[in-house]
Amino acid sequence: MFPTFLIGLREGLEASLVIGILVAYLVKSGHADRLRQIWAGVGLAIGISLAFGALLQFTSAELSFEAQEMFGGFASLLAVAFVTWMVFWMRRTARFLKTELHGRIDTALTLGPLALALTAFVAVGREGLETALFLWAAVQSTEQTASPITGAVLGLLAAVALGWLLYKRAVNLNLRTFFTWTGVGLVVVAAGVFSYGVHDLQEARLLPGLNTLAFDVSSTIPPSSWYGTLLKGIVNFSPKTSVLEAVAWVSYVVPVLYLFFRPSSAPAPAAVSRQTASV
Amino acid sequence: MRASLLLTLPLVAALTACGGSDGSTGSNDGGGEIAIAAGDTTCEVAKTTLASGKHTFDVKNEGKDVTEVYVYGRSSSGSDGDFDKVIGEVENIAPQTSREFPVELSGGEYEVACKPGQTGDGIRTKLTVTGEAAAKDDDAAYDREVEVTAKEYAFTGLEGFTAKVGEKIEFKLENTGTMQHELEILGPDGKDVGEVGPTDPGKDGEVILELKTAGTYTYLCGIGDHASRGMQGTFTVS
């Protein structure tokens, strides 16, 4: 039961944290009414993943290994694009929040909601298919034992609970701290997703160098240990990282964090950015 | 809400369509399912000699740890490459659960690796796959290949050739002569069944023909007077 608990936790954690931050952001900026867009994206992603997974597991339909990896790879890249967009969108809104021009937040949000649902959708859907396949396999074995499915469901629930805890904690932070930490957190998460997407595309043989490793610490940090699970679940840390994955990670994190902390050229928001950078 | 759904649906359609077109849903698998029993220290592959084509591996995790199973081919062509090119894999196989994965295998050597704990190089088992490269689709699939050589003025390779009704034969023509030749095949009724068209000296060509009716087939070179000079013959389909 414990091994499947860890898988459930790992597969669900990242999406849960991203959704937790999204929800906290909307609640904090006084747009709790927009939450249903998030839940629509989440619900749709879960529904489609489960349906597609059931199709593959219970019928003769099958997806080639390359197609599955390509799905994971491109969905990851899409998720990175949306989460990055979200980070900068929140950063821009943060300036308006600081100047307390609430009318202008609304302007910013008119564009947001459509993309909010999509962000929620790709954040959940990215690992959705793989998780659904894993869940259905556990369901299929319930004739012999219910332990795998129990573990998996508890793991996913634990992931959701951690996302909820993050939301509770984040919603009580002051605005400046909230935007800085959630922003940096999302950038690190997105970098992990980016490098994971690169890994999937390497496995699909769309990108070369799967076996050219930057480092291999899988004996120190076994992927099936609880700490390996948390590292993988939160920042997508792979104990066996290829050179291309490492390059992808660094070349995402460095410029994006630079842009995130860069003092804005506009006069009023500049003050905010300077304060932000000093946190 | 409605707007957001409208925006989301094309994406979903695109994603599933992508999976659908890349994924094979055909059932022309070579030899049914091959069971793999994966334990914490064991990895038993039910069949280690396979015919080329599509196979489905059915992995049952009998251990206590989460496992994953890979099929590796050699990284470089030749017989000395390491087995580290991923041909197929399935991850996250929880204890007591089963997962399947399809693999397209062409002739050659492979290794199956079970990785209990999802780490390390895994417990390896050699796989030998016999036959030519896997046929990509039904149209190109054939049962047998026959090599025919054309030279002034005779064919070699079809002496004593026979086939069964319904067999799909790939006729491969190699021109080792000094002028153009072709290989035309006529059915028992004297009508054209198919041909390898005019082939230049030193070149080759092929045609895949399904021999649908029994009887005596005629083959000949249709260029100039080559047939009457000796480039013709017969074979029987029964």
Side-chain angles (χ1 to χ4, degrees), chain B residues 220-237:
Chain B
L220 55 93
C221 176
I223 294 172
D225 58 353
H226 294 186
S228 59
R229 283 175 176 247
M231 293 189 78
Q232 58 173 306
T234 57
F235 62 84
T236 315
V237 174

Side-chain angles (χ1 to χ4, degrees), chain A residues 73-88:
Chain A
F74 285 119
S76 296
L77 297 187
L78 202 62
V80 172
F82 274 100
V83 171
T84 311
W85 165 82
M86 191 173 111
V87 168
F88 285 96

Side-chain angles (χ1 to χ4, degrees), chain A residues 213-228:
Chain A
L213 296 182
F215 56 84
D216 183 355
V217 293
S218 43
S219 53
T220 329
I221 307 170
S224 54
S225 64
W226 65 267
Y227 44 95

Side-chain angles (χ1 to χ4, degrees), chain A residues 4 10 62 65 69 205 211, chain B residues 24 54 84 86 89 92 94:
Chain A
T4 54
R10 186 181 71 208
E62 46 193 31
F65 157 73
E69 296 298 328
R205 290 199 289 276
N211 298 304
Chain B
S24 163
K54 205 181 86 186
D84 55 11
V86 183
E89 60 143 15
N92 289 345

Side-chain angles (χ1 to χ4, degrees), chain A residues 142-279:
Chain A
T142 44
E143 280 172 25
Q144 292 105 49
T145 162
S147 137
I149 188 67
T150 316
V153 169
L154 286 178
L156 285 170
L157 287 177
V160 172
L162 286 174
W164 183 78
L165 280 177
L166 176 77
Y167 157 76
K168 283 308 248 186
R169 182 90 181 84
V171 95
N172 291 322
L173 292 173
N174 76 51
L175 276 180
R176 202 179 58 200
T177 323
F178 174 81
F179 282 114
T180 308
W181 285 110
T182 55
V184 171
L186 285 175
V187 169
V188 173
V189 165
V193 174
F194 186 45
S195 113
Y196 179 90
V198 166
H199 177 82
D200 268 0
L201 294 179
Q202 284 183 309
E203 287 201 314
R205 290 199 289 276
L206 226 61
L207 292 174
L210 181 62
N211 298 304
T212 315
L213 296 182
F215 56 84
D216 183 355
V217 293
S218 43
S219 53
T220 329
I221 307 170
S224 54
S225 64
W226 65 267
Y227 44 95
T229 297
L230 285 181
L231 275 173
K232 177 85 192 169
I234 297 171
V235 293
N236 247 310
F237 174 78
S238 162
K240 210 173 156 184
T241 293
S242 75
V243 170
L244 200 61
E245 285 173 64
V247 168
W249 194 89
V250 174
S251 57
Y252 176 85
V253 158
V254 173
V256 172
L257 277 187
Y258 169 76
L259 290 175
F260 184 74
F261 284 119
R262 181 190 54 167
S264 176
S265 50
V272 183
S273 297
R274 205 165 47 247
Q275 284 167 346
T276 306
S278 65
V279 170

Side-chain angles (χ1 to χ4, degrees), chain A residues 87-137:
Chain A
V87 168
F88 285 96
W89 179 61
M90 281 168 51
R91 178 178 181 266
R92 202 179 61 220
T93 326
R95 292 192 228 131
F96 295 129
L97 279 178
K98 195 65 193 171
T99 52
E100 294 186 28
L101 288 170
H102 280 286
R104 292 170 73 183
I105 308 168
D106 287 332
T107 327
L109 266 175
T110 50
L111 178 118
L114 303 173
L116 278 180
L118 272 179
T119 306
F121 178 79
V122 290
V124 174
R126 192 180 73 78
E127 284 285 78
L129 180 61
E130 175 55 32
T131 311
L133 284 171
F134 158 73
L135 279 178
W136 288 125

Side-chain angles (χ1 to χ4, degrees), chain B residues 57-138:
Chain B
F57 289 94
D58 186 2
V59 186
K60 170 97 201 258
N61 184 355
E62 295 175 344
K64 290 194 167 60
D65 214 344
V66 177
T67 193
E68 57 191 25
V69 175
Y70 286 74
V71 174
Y72 287 107
R74 291 191 198 272
S75 54
S76 56
S77 51
S79 55
D80 53 348
D82 288 331
F83 287 97
D84 55 11
K85 180 176 145 197
V86 183
I87 308 292
E89 60 143 15
V90 58
E91 292 173 354
N92 289 345
I93 313 167
Q96 310 306 316
T97 68
S98 297
R99 292 282 296 269
E100 289 182 357
F101 67 107
V103 181
E104 187 90 36
L105 296 172
S106 52
E109 301 230 289
Y110 297 88
E111 278 184 7
V112 173
C114 299
K115 301 186 180 178
Q118 302 187 277
T119 178
D121 286 335
I123 307 157
R124 303 270 181 146
T125 306
K126 271 245 176 353
L127 269 189
T128 307
V129 177
T130 57
E132 294 287 319
K136 284 294 169 218
D137 52 63
D138 280 339

Side-chain angles (χ1 to χ4, degrees), chain B:
Chain B
M1 168 90 174
R2 202 188 320 143
S4 70
L5 280 176
L6 285 177
L7 203 67
T8 314
L9 285 172
L11 173 80
V12 175
L15 287 177
T16 44
C18 158
S21 60
D22 285 312
S24 163
T25 51
S27 56
N28 55 332
D29 42 348
E33 289 187 357
I34 298 136
I36 298 178
D40 290 332
T41 54
T42 56
C43 182
E44 285 161 28
V45 184
K47 226 169 124 187
T48 55
T49 306
L50 307 169
S52 64
K54 205 181 86 186
H55 295 279
T56 300
F57 289 94
D58 186 2
V59 186
K60 170 97 201 258
N61 184 355
E62 295 175 344
K64 290 194 167 60
D65 214 344
V66 177
T67 193
E68 57 191 25
V69 175
Y70 286 74
V71 174
Y72 287 107
R74 291 191 198 272
S75 54
S76 56
S77 51
S79 55
D80 53 348
D82 288 331
F83 287 97
D84 55 11
K85 180 176 145 197
V86 183
I87 308 292
E89 60 143 15
V90 58
E91 292 173 354
N92 289 345
I93 313 167
Q96 310 306 316
T97 68
S98 297
R99 292 282 296 269
E100 289 182 357
F101 67 107
V103 181
E104 187 90 36
L105 296 172
S106 52
E109 301 230 289
Y110 297 88
E111 278 184 7
V112 173
C114 299
K115 301 186 180 178
Q118 302 187 277
T119 178
D121 286 335
I123 307 157
R124 303 270 181 146
T125 306
K126 271 245 176 353
L127 269 189
T128 307
V129 177
T130 57
E132 294 287 319
K136 284 294 169 218
D137 52 63
D138 280 339
D139 291 341
Y142 55 88
D143 302 314
R144 203 142 64 90
E145 182 191 80
V146 54
E147 287 178 8
V148 186
T149 310
K151 200 179 174 182
E152 295 77 33
Y153 291 101
F155 287 112
T156 47
L158 282 169
E159 305 88 342
F161 172 77
T162 57
K164 289 196 174 66
V165 172
E167 246 188 319
K168 277 186 184 169
I169 309 289
E170 181 184 66
F171 293 90
K172 197 170 176 196
L173 180 71
E174 194 189 351
N175 186 352
T176 59
T178 56
M179 56 176 82
Q180 249 189 8
H181 293 297
E182 61 178 31
L183 176 67
E184 225 178 288
I185 293 169
L186 309 176
D189 53 2
K191 282 186 186 154
D192 215 332
V193 179
E195 63 167 17
V196 180
T199 305
D200 287 330
K203 305 284 182 193
D204 51 25
E206 66 273 327
V207 64
I208 296 166
L209 300 175
E210 189 177 359
L211 306 171
K212 288 176 184 160
T213 50
T216 303
Y217 286 66
T218 307
Y219 60 90
L220 55 93
C221 176
I223 294 172
D225 58 353
H226 294 186
S228 59
R229 283 175 176 247
M231 293 189 78
Q232 58 173 306
T234 57
F235 62 84
T236 315
V237 174
S238 53

